[in-house]
Amino acid sequence: QVKLVESGGGSVQPGGSLRLSCAASGATLDHYSIAWFRQAPGKEREGVSCINDRDLSEHRTYYADSVKGRFIIDRNNAKNTVYLQMNSLKPDDTGVYYCAARAELLFDQCVTQGPREYDMDYWGKGTLVTVSS
């Protein structure tokens, strides 16, 4: 059983930054694709970013258009942790952020077309990000 725990959420002003972490236990992440989703009140959960298992892949990461250029996803397999660096935060970024894992080698769909909820095998419980003045 794989357990994912998010951390790093909080309340920030527009234009601020946060760094979210997704720490895994029960398995190593080197052969997993990891995605970040978010959900605002009254809205559906949306895929934000994804990173696959290939460190040297040309198609290694994905970003939703709404966060492209502002968010950066990265992974440290030695620490079994995936990060989401969020810069230039906007009020529309407010929501609960979830990390999720897909236990499949070379799951390119996640980084070419974006993450989908039903593709993911394991989920964290979320961390709240609030962006307001």
Side-chain angles (χ1 to χ4, degrees):
Q1 187 76 209
V2 176
K3 182 180 179 181
L4 305 176
V5 179
E6 304 95 337
S7 62
S11 181
V12 297
Q13 294 183 345
S17 297
L18 286 173
R19 190 191 192 199
L20 305 183
S21 298
C22 175
S25 61
T28 56
L29 296 180
D30 54 336
H31 296 320
Y32 287 67
S33 293
I34 307 296
W36 287 95
F37 295 80
R38 68 185 182 188
Q39 186 170 25
K43 298 178 65 177
E44 294 185 350
R45 192 177 301 174
E46 63 173 332
V48 174
S49 186
C50 188
I51 186 166
N52 68 9
D53 59 300
R54 293 176 291 177
D55 292 335
L56 302 179
S57 175
E58 182 178 344
H59 303 288
R60 185 169 176 264
T61 59
Y62 167 88
Y63 300 96
D65 289 341
S66 58
V67 306
K68 191 174 298 182
R70 300 188 296 118
F71 290 11
I72 302 172
I73 190 170
D74 197 13
R75 67 192 301 161
N76 188 325
N77 288 339
K79 295 183 178 181
N80 224 26
T81 301
V82 173
Y83 307 96
L84 185 67
Q85 178 67 45
M86 306 187 297
N87 301 314
S88 301
L89 284 163
K90 306 174 181 179
D92 287 346
D93 295 319
T94 294
V96 178
Y97 283 70
Y98 303 87
C99 68
R102 170 77 175 192
E104 180 180 342
L105 293 171
L106 304 179
F107 184 56
D108 289 343
Q109 177 271 322
C110 194
V111 296
T112 58
Q113 304 177 41
R116 299 176 298 199
E117 290 184 71
Y118 54 84
D119 283 332
M120 313 313 294
D121 299 308
Y122 306 101
W123 290 82
K125 294 184 178 181
T127 184
L128 178 63
V129 172
T130 302
V131 185
S132 65
S133 58

